[in-house]
Structures are given as C-alpha cells and as structure tokens.
Amino acid sequence: VRRVWVVLWFVGVARAEPVPAIDERVQMTLPRPEVVRFDNKLELWMVPRPGLPLVSVVVAVRQAGSANDPPHKLGMAAFTVDLLDEGRRPGQTVDLVEEIERDGGTLRAWVDEDAAMLAVGTLARALPHTLDVLHTMVTAPPFTDADAVRVRDAHLDQIRLRPDRPNAVASVILGEALFGARSPYGHPPLGFLATVEKLSMGDARLFRSERFRPSSTVLVVVGDFVPAELRALVDARFGGWNAEIATPARPAVAPPAPGTLSVVDVPGATQANLLLGTRGVSRDDETSFDVDVLTTMLGGTFGSLLNRRLREELGLTYGADAYATFLRHDGRVVIATDVATPKTVRALRETLAIAKRLADRPPPPKPLQQARLALVHSLPRAFDTHVRTAETVAAMALHRLPADWLYSYRARIEAVTPARVQAAAKKLFGAGRVSAVVVGDVGVIGPGLGKLGLGPPVRFTADAERAP
Amino acid sequence: MRAVLASLVCFAAVARAERLPNGIELALVPEPGAGEIAVVVWVPVGSRDDVAPRTGLAHLFEHLMFTGSKNVPEGEHDRLVEEAGGWSNAFTTPDATVYTTVATAGALERVLFLEADRLAGLRLEARTLATQKEVVANERRQRYENRPYGAAEGLLSAALWPAGHPYARLAIGEPAEVAAVTLDEARAYFGRAYTPEGLLVVVAGDFVPERARALVDKTLGRLAARPRPERIEAPALTPLGAPVNVQADDAVQTSRVYLAWPTPAWYGTVDAPLAVTAGLLGGGKSSRLWRKLVVETPLVENVEAAYVEGEWAGVFQIVATVRPGVEPAKVIAAVDEELAALAGRGPSRGELERARNQHEAGLLEAQEPLSGRALQAARWLAATGSADRLNETLRAVRAVGAPEVRVVVSRFLSAKTRVTLTIGPVEE
C-alpha cells in the first residue's frame, strides 16, 4: 500500500501546477516621516495620509517607562501615566477623557519599559482640540488626590487579580529570571503590592515633572492633515513648553544570569502555560537584524519551526510563538505556548531541541529564506492603519533611528546570512542561557521537568513570589 | 461637537459585487498604493449547520482547510503566504466560516491560486485529521477550560437560546463528537458545504481591477459549478419569557457579571440604536456605566457593553468585573438603575453626541486595514447583497436620537427578559 501511495504521490507532483511567484515589481511606497525639531527640542514626526478623515496622534516620552521607576516605588511610571487623563481643565464642563471621547476619539495611555505613551485616534477635524487636551495631559495634568487614590486602588486590585492570568504570572517570573529582581527591566510595569501601596498623588506629580520634558518628548501624527498647518498647531501649543530640569540617572542593567526553571503549581489546570526566555539585544546592536530573522524563523509565523513542529506535526498545542523585544539598552527573546498538561515535558524538550539545533549549526536555507521574505514582504503591515503607522514611527523615534531607516530595512534583512543567524542563536540559546517558567498542574506534569537540563525547578506561588 | 461630524464627506462606493458563472459572488475593493492585498472567502456554512452527533464539524473543517490541497503539499499553504509577508487565518461563527489572507500586493495571483486550489481539491488524510483534532482539543482548553471566566460564552449561549437551537451551542462542538469525526465524514462535508455557489469572495487592496478580475477568472472562476449547500431553516425564536439566572464557579479571584439579552436579526432598523446604546453605556471611560461603576461608586474593575450582530438574532451584552469584596448583586442593581434612567429620561445631549461620534469613528477605523475592509464588505454582502453600505450605516448612526435609544432600552434591555450570569471564585 505504501509503495502505491509513493507512486501516486510522484505522479501527483509531476502533474502539479506551479504556485505563482511573487511579483516583486509591485512595491509599497514606504512612508518617509517628516521630522521637525522645535527650539525647546520637542520632536514632531509627521506622516500625512489623505483619504479617510482620521488622524492618529502618539505622544511618546523617553525615559519615562517602568525602567525609570525608583527602586522603592516600582509601578510609579504606570501609576503616573494612568492619572494623566483624569480630572478636568479649568473652564471645561467635562473631564479630559470625555473631551476626547465626545469628538469620537479613543484615548490609550500606557508605559513600556523605556517610555510613557499616550495615543489618540480620532476624526481629522478634531485634531486641534485633541492637541489641546494632550498638551494639558503632558504639561499640567489636573488630576486630584481622590483620582490618585482611586487609580492606585485599581492598580492594587489588578496586581491582586494577576493569579487569574497564568501568562501574566509567568511573565513576571520570567522578567525577574532574565534581568534580576527589581532591576530596571526585571519588574512588571504595574509594580508589586508593597511598592504600589506607598504611591500618592505627590509621587505622580514628581515623576511627571522630572520625566516629562520637551527634550524627551516625541509627538507623532499620522493621517489626514496638512503638514504646515499641523506644525503651526503644535508650535502654538507645545512651542512654549520649557521644563528642563536635571533627571536622575538610570540604574545600570545587570549582566545576564544563568538560566533557571521556575514552576507555579496550579492543581487541576488542563493546560500548562510555558514561557521561555533569554536576554536579547537593543535595536542599535549590530546583530538586531540577525535576531529579527532568527525569531521569525523560530516562531514568528504560523509556518515557523516551533509552530510547525509543536502544533502541526505533534498536535501538542493550539499555537507556539517566539518574538524579540528590543529595549533601549537591552532586549529579550520570548517563546510562548500553552500545552495539554500531560504533554508539558515533551513540548519543552522539543522546544529546547529546536533552539539548540539553531545554536549548534547554521539554519537550513529554506526556512531562513522564508523568514527573510516574511520580514521584508510584511513591512506594509506596519503601516496599514494610522494607529499602527503612528506606533511604528514612534518606536523608530524612541530607538533614535533616522527617519529614512525603513528604506534600508530590506537590504539589512536580506544581508543576514546563515552564519549570522547561528551566531545569534548561540548567543541567545547557548548552554545556560535560557530560562523557563511553567504554570500548570505539577502533579500531572510529573518529574520529567527536572531532567531537561534547565536545573532543578524552583517553586513560585500564583502571586509570582518565591514559594516558602 | 456634533459639527465635527456634520461635515463628514460621504464616501463614494468602491466595491461592486458581481456573480461569476459558477455562482461565486465577487467584490473588488481597490486601494491603490496600499502595497498589500486582502482576500476574504466567506463560506455560507457555520456551526449552526452542524448536526449532532457531529457538532464542531464546521470548525474542525476550518482547520483542515490549511492542511494541503491538490498542488500544495501539507504545511506549504501558510509558508507560501508568509513568505509573501502575509498571514492567513479563519474563524467559524454560527452563521459562516470565513477565511482571510493578507499578503504583499505582488502575491495576489498566488493567494487566489491557493484559495482556488484548496476549494477545488483538498488533501484530506487520516494523519492530518488526527492532528487537527488534537489542535482543536488544545484550542478548547486554551479558549474555554484553562482561561479565567472561559465558561462564560458556553453558559450564555445555552441560556440565551432555546434548548436544541443551533445558536445554543459553541462552534467548537462537543469534544467527544469532534474526536469521533471520520475521514469519510470530513470528505463528505467538503463535497456538500464547500461549493462555489453561494461563496462570497472579496478582494481588497493594491491592484488594477481589470487585472484582478482576470486573475479571479483564471483561478476561482475555473471551479466547477455545484449546487449550493442546503441549510437548515431558522427555528422560531421565542423571546425569553422570564429572567434566567446562572451561577458558576471558576478558579478566579473575583466575580464577573454578564447581563445578556437576545436581539433581532442583523441589519434591521434597531442595529444602529442598539450599537449607539452599547457605546452610551459602556464605550470608554466617559461612558455612563464606567463613570457610575468604576469612578463614582467604585464597584467594579471595569465594565463594557457590546452589541453583537447575528444572521438570525443578535446579543446585547454588559460585562463587569466586580472589585474584590463587592457583592455582585450590588453591581447588577446599579446597572439596572442606569438602564431604568436611560429608558425613562433618555441620554443627555452630550453623551449621545459622544456615543454617535465614537461609533462613526469606529466604523471608519474598521475600514483602515485591508483585512477589515474586505471582511466588512463580505459581511455586508452576506447580509444585504451589497458590498458597500458604509454611507447607509453612517447615516443610520447619525439619525439615532434620544427617542430611539429609549425605545430600544425599553423594548430589548428589560431585566425581565435577560440572562444574568455570575462567575465567581470557588467557595472554600
């Protein structure tokens, strides 16, 4: 039967219609942001896009992220940013957030490790008013003590509720394993109960005044506007903002520690949440493009090595991903998958074997080429909405990349060789580099966890604290 | 603020639907300069067409559609799309199974070829069937079993619709029934359900329409005509005669309250008022429920309201995560108070403006990504026969006033005709 099948298969291949090639002549014209630097050093990055009457505005403030939390007040950046849309401007009848929402806008405020971010998507005609409101939020937010108490309590509740989200618990533990407890990049942006309980309105006011300065602020606007008019609008509002004061130095990032295996026992869980990670590189590191290609090949697409093996060949999971995060002064690569509890050790063994193979020898040409093509051909997707375009451009500004950086991206990715990918894999996944976190039913997973070469499992509680 | 929108331009229709000789309904939505294309294939067969003891078949089949076809070996479909910088995914609703592919614009012919190849001749093999059953089992664990409050969707569906109604079960099906699907059943299902007649195809993006039309003829246009799949008739829906209360435990730290009401079939006259009402109640931090329940009292961590359309019927839903230590009954009472006020006095002018403006902005934003534009065009085509209803939809939203809001709240959002689901921590 097998022989017959082989013959039929051969005949089938011989008669197969060729899959159409990609027509490389059709290329998107990538946006080239126009950058204006005002006298107070505030940067305005503009990407005009006529068409739908919409605009997206992002305000990104460098050195105002969770890595800038004072060590005894972890969670301060997130607390501050969450307060910026609270309160009411003098002479207004509605609160700040309602001013935005009445225009049809949506406001988001968040912090990542390196920056505080505010983003508004709204109708183009509301742009001047949106800039008014953002100016108030950034330079003189009117939040009150009552707002601060409420927002702090909400953050405390979110920390208390973290055990409901196994992936969030794993992420906190992995951050600590990779960067060290309570280090600039090693703690969750929300902070911990003990550090958030102490936060007050005064802390938020101090953090804003120390960190939110014109020279650290980037304004990105994408959408339906006239650049000269926008420039005048921004100048009229932000041009007179002068708030340069000394900023405390950021603590240094500790060197990588040996990999660890952390385990959170969740009796009865039908799946185990697996998070593996390793220290990566910053975007200005010369190997960052190698890391792009490596992680795309490993788990950045549906047809990647991990998803192909764990999901499509072995049926162990609904999906497996790998992704790189480029921080301002460091980076990380994370692999994430959820697997049926009894399959945990098998899935970990397969994952580690794939990573090790990449470190031990150059990658096969086909997956490497597919990863390179996936990266260069997916570039338009970073610009398919105003919001995504604004966030892509803001990320470029935060990484201090030039406005024409996008134009060299394709050539840089195409220049990544098998040897460079292997070198990156060796650095990232070499012996003792990988840390793993398993959140699941330890009794069902069994003793195999201790035999994976990741060291003895260290127990954590569902609150992401070391178990006694 | 209303003036902001009063001057909005009306958009010219860009999507025209036409019927191919084999029965496919095609709409082209050109977007010059986008650099990408999106192709949506809308198969008019969903989980409501599954018949026990084979619930979950439509969804399992959605997975099988990526496992290889006549000219595309197993595993190659995704690779061919991804090396074109794209992605390919699908979802199964009670009403339809929908496939979306996005790729660089130069890969339009490739994407159409891939769609036509799997519609013409899927490779169905025992090994891939077995693997995809495992993948679906993992999907079930990830979406419903090992997720906080993951049981909510199933409990709500079962409570909202009469026993035995196709909407009353999850699209993912019963695990034992999915596990029992045979290769012959899968093959028969493909022959029955995946016919060109009735398929809706939307192609959006950076192409010249004449060239795209020729490529469609060369690929999807060559599929042999076959009869349209037979679908079951919509069972009569009896409104909930009395409130339904459901309580469930989960491994969570705090309770979550779901209030849900059945609503009429999609694209009727109450769509816009219900959507605007959802925004009024729970769309953003200045919405009525957020201000009352999160800011003023504060009883909950977060609250949102949504109106979800459906071909036979829709659902209006309010979901609130209760703050630890707060009694869920207090939250429900506070929501009822706001609903009564809305039914009685109606919304203020300011909050109505906000909700209308936000909904209009949301409709425009949904047009931004090509995948969203193609999907919306396919949904409009399926529901109304027209692929471009943006202007009508915007006009309907602009026309929603306080009286319309009061009417839909009084008529559809009564405490007497709703499902109240509370999922709380397991009692020690």
Side-chain angles (χ1 to χ4, degrees):
Chain A
V1 172
R2 182 173 172 77
R3 187 182 174 83
V4 172
W5 180 85
V6 169
V7 171
L8 288 175
W9 177 83
F10 179 77
V11 171
V13 168
R15 296 176 57 194
E17 279 185 54
V19 175
I22 299 167
D23 184 351
E24 297 286 353
R25 292 169 302 176
V26 188
Q27 291 285 332
M28 179 197 191
T29 305
L30 293 169
R32 189 184 293 270
E34 185 182 334
V35 183
V36 177
R37 287 187 175 79
F38 292 94
D39 291 343
N40 61 4
K41 298 182 183 166
L42 180 131
E43 290 175 27
L44 169 65
W45 292 52
M46 300 184 282
V47 182
R49 277 188 167 178
L52 290 170
L54 297 168
V55 286
S56 269
V57 184
V58 168
V59 180
V61 185
R62 296 183 181 111
Q63 297 180 51
S66 60
N68 306 103
D69 286 336
H72 57 295
K73 292 195 171 174
L74 302 178
M76 193 150 117
F79 172 63
T80 304
V81 168
D82 244 11
L83 274 168
L84 294 181
D85 64 356
E86 300 288 344
R88 187 171 295 187
R89 296 197 290 168
Q92 293 291 327
T93 57
V94 296
D95 292 347
L96 280 172
V97 69
E98 189 163 356
E99 286 194 60
I100 294 284
E101 292 186 353
R102 278 199 177 192
D103 285 345
T106 306
L107 170 72
R108 292 179 297 134
W110 74 97
V111 293
D112 63 19
E113 288 85 345
D114 294 311
M117 311 285 283
L118 299 167
V120 177
T122 192
L123 293 156
R125 288 285 298 271
L127 181 55
H129 182 230
T130 302
L131 293 171
D132 283 339
V133 176
L134 286 171
H135 175 256
T136 299
M137 290 170 66
V138 170
T139 63
F143 58 80
T144 64
D145 197 35
D147 295 325
V149 169
R150 180 169 43 77
V151 168
R152 184 191 61 202
D153 288 351
H155 281 212
L156 289 169
D157 280 348
Q158 285 180 51
I159 296 168
R160 289 189 190 103
L161 298 178
R162 195 184 280 141
D164 286 353
R165 295 177 292 127
N167 287 320
V169 174
S171 178
V172 172
I173 296 169
L174 184 66
E176 181 179 328
L178 295 182
F179 292 98
R182 288 152 169 77
S183 76
Y185 289 140
H187 66 277
L190 264 185
F192 299 97
L193 287 178
T195 57
V196 175
E197 274 167 351
K198 289 187 275 188
L199 295 175
S200 66
M201 182 177 77
D203 291 313
R205 294 220 172 278
L206 180 68
F207 189 88
R208 194 214 60 79
S209 64
E210 282 187 348
R211 297 283 169 182
F212 283 52
R213 298 164 294 130
S215 63
S216 58
T217 301
V218 178
L219 196 61
V220 180
V221 184
V222 177
D224 190 10
F225 61 84
V226 177
E229 292 174 9
L230 174 62
R231 184 180 178 154
L233 288 172
V234 171
D235 197 14
R237 287 157 182 80
F238 290 88
W241 180 26
N242 287 301
E244 290 307 308
I245 59 168
T247 299
R250 196 181 58 81
V253 181
T260 56
L261 172 61
S262 309
V263 177
V264 179
D265 189 20
V266 185
T270 58
Q271 276 192 321
N273 303 82
L274 313 184
L275 210 58
L276 293 85
T278 179
R279 287 275 283 273
V281 299
S282 61
R283 183 43 99 186
D284 53 13
D285 187 288
E286 58 184 14
T287 65
S288 75
F289 296 94
D290 308 345
V291 173
D292 269 334
V293 174
L294 170 66
T295 48
T296 302
M297 185 170 55
L298 180 63
T301 62
F302 193 90
S304 64
L305 297 172
L306 278 173
N307 198 63
R308 181 85 205 127
R309 179 72 180 149
L310 266 57
R311 174 182 155 133
E312 294 295 290
E313 289 176 15
L314 300 175
L316 298 177
T317 178
Y318 182 47
D321 304 311
Y323 53 89
T325 304
F326 300 102
L327 303 167
R328 185 73 191 97
H329 303 285
D330 214 295
R332 64 173 167 264
V333 170
V334 171
I335 296 168
T337 186
D338 301 343
V339 300
T341 310
K343 311 284 176 63
T344 303
V345 173
R346 172 85 195 272
L348 278 167
R349 194 175 290 132
E350 292 284 345
T351 303
L352 291 167
I354 290 170
K356 184 174 184 305
R357 264 202 305 278
L358 289 168
D360 286 349
R361 50 181 179 267
K366 195 173 174 187
L368 175 65
Q369 177 61 359
Q370 278 163 343
R372 284 189 298 228
L373 288 171
L375 282 167
V376 299
H377 283 144
S378 63
L379 208 47
R381 211 180 317 147
F383 307 99
D384 69 351
T385 65
H386 292 353
V387 172
R388 258 195 289 274
T389 305
E391 289 182 8
T392 302
V393 171
M396 284 169 53
L398 289 173
H399 285 290
R400 297 190 185 280
L401 302 171
D404 61 358
W405 180 80
L406 291 167
Y407 287 80
S408 63
Y409 183 81
R410 181 175 185 134
R412 287 170 189 270
I413 291 294
E414 285 173 345
V416 174
T417 61
R420 281 171 56 179
V421 170
Q422 187 193 358
K426 207 167 181 175
K427 183 177 170 192
L428 267 56
F429 303 126
R433 290 303 187 111
V434 175
S435 286
V437 184
V438 179
V439 183
D441 189 335
V442 173
V444 178
I445 292 170
L449 275 182
K451 299 169 189 164
L452 291 164
L454 293 167
V458 179
R459 293 278 190 124
F460 281 73
T461 68
D463 296 314
E465 299 284 350
R466 274 175 198 273
Chain B
M1 301 298 171
R2 186 73 186 143
V4 168
L5 282 167
S7 59
L8 258 183
V9 294
C10 271
F11 299 99
V14 291
R16 256 200 335 271
E18 60 182 314
R19 187 181 155 85
L20 305 187
N22 60 9
I24 289 177
E25 292 281 335
L26 170 72
L28 299 178
V29 187
E31 176 68 27
E36 286 195 304
I37 51 97
V39 176
V40 166
V41 175
W42 180 290
V43 184
V45 177
S47 62
R48 78 182 198 212
D49 302 287
D50 290 339
V51 179
R54 288 295 176 266
T55 58
L57 189 52
H59 172 256
L60 174 65
F61 210 83
E62 171 213 313
H63 282 246
L64 293 171
M65 283 290 282
F66 293 88
T67 56
S69 50
K70 185 181 168 196
N71 296 294
V72 182
E74 190 212 338
E76 282 299 298
H77 185 105
D78 286 297
R79 283 186 190 146
L80 288 165
V81 172
E82 286 170 347
E83 74 175 22
W87 56 267
S88 188
N89 210 340
F91 59 85
T92 305
T93 72
D95 302 322
T97 310
V98 184
Y99 299 83
T100 305
T101 305
V102 173
T104 187
L108 176 58
E109 183 174 1
R110 173 179 289 193
V111 171
L112 293 171
F113 172 89
L114 290 172
E115 290 298 0
D117 203 58
R118 62 179 171 177
L119 287 166
L122 199 60
R123 283 183 197 212
L124 287 170
E125 293 168 4
R127 192 182 63 77
T128 48
L129 174 63
T131 304
Q132 290 309 313
K133 286 180 187 175
E134 285 297 318
V135 172
V136 169
N138 281 313
E139 180 178 357
R140 185 183 185 88
R141 292 182 195 107
Q142 191 163 321
R143 282 188 191 280
Y144 305 111
E145 294 173 2
N146 199 45
R147 181 182 200 160
Y149 313 103
E153 190 184 336
L155 292 169
L156 283 171
S157 300
L160 273 166
W161 313 110
H165 189 283
Y167 277 9
R169 59 178 185 246
L170 289 175
I172 203 163
E174 289 301 314
E177 296 182 15
V178 174
V181 172
T182 66
L183 200 52
D184 284 344
E185 286 171 338
R187 286 183 177 134
Y189 183 83
F190 181 64
R192 188 170 71 242
Y194 282 67
T195 66
E197 180 77 43
L199 276 188
L200 309 178
V201 176
V202 179
V203 183
D206 194 356
F207 54 75
V208 177
E210 293 72 23
R211 162 94 175 130
R213 183 69 175 75
L215 291 176
V216 169
D217 283 341
K218 187 177 161 187
T219 51
L220 293 160
R222 288 189 184 167
L223 295 173
R226 283 188 286 136
R228 192 187 186 96
E230 280 182 28
R231 306 200 74 181
I232 60 169
E233 294 294 316
L237 271 179
T238 45
L240 288 175
V244 179
N245 290 300
V246 183
Q247 304 257 354
D249 292 339
D250 198 358
V252 292
Q253 312 289 309
T254 192
S255 297
R256 186 173 283 176
V257 172
Y258 299 78
L259 306 176
W261 295 263
T263 58
W266 66 8
Y267 295 95
T269 54
V270 294
D271 263 24
L274 283 169
V276 169
T277 301
L280 272 169
L281 286 168
K285 288 173 81 173
S286 56
S287 65
R288 192 173 269 231
L289 291 178
W290 188 282
R291 295 201 67 82
K292 174 83 174 187
L293 301 182
V294 180
V295 180
E296 289 173 23
T297 38
L299 294 173
V300 304
E301 298 292 332
N302 51 59
V303 59
E304 54 190 45
Y307 165 54
V308 183
E309 310 147 332
E311 194 171 332
W312 285 344
V315 178
F316 192 99
Q317 190 169 287
I318 295 170
V319 183
T321 307
V322 181
R323 291 195 67 192
V326 172
E327 272 300 309
K330 283 183 83 170
V331 176
I332 295 167
V335 173
D336 280 339
E337 208 174 291
E338 289 305 315
L339 287 171
L342 203 54
R345 291 190 298 276
S348 72
R349 201 169 151 180
E351 60 181 340
L352 187 58
E353 282 170 7
R354 182 192 60 78
R356 277 190 306 228
N357 286 356
Q358 280 201 305
H359 192 57
E360 290 183 33
L363 285 165
L364 294 174
E365 282 162 3
Q367 295 288 306
E368 275 198 274
L370 288 174
S371 55
R373 193 179 298 194
L375 193 56
Q376 181 64 77
R379 191 179 288 118
W380 280 329
L381 196 54
T384 71
S386 163
D388 184 3
R389 286 179 54 90
L390 184 57
N391 288 328
E392 289 97 316
T393 311
L394 288 171
R395 270 198 295 276
V397 172
R398 287 174 195 152
V400 175
E404 287 78 15
V405 171
R406 290 173 58 194
V407 165
V408 293
V409 174
S410 308
R411 192 169 151 208
F412 298 113
L413 309 185
S414 157
K416 294 175 187 162
T417 58
R418 77 166 173 228
V419 173
T420 304
L421 166 65
T422 307
I423 297 182
V426 179
E427 297 281 335
E428 292 295 331

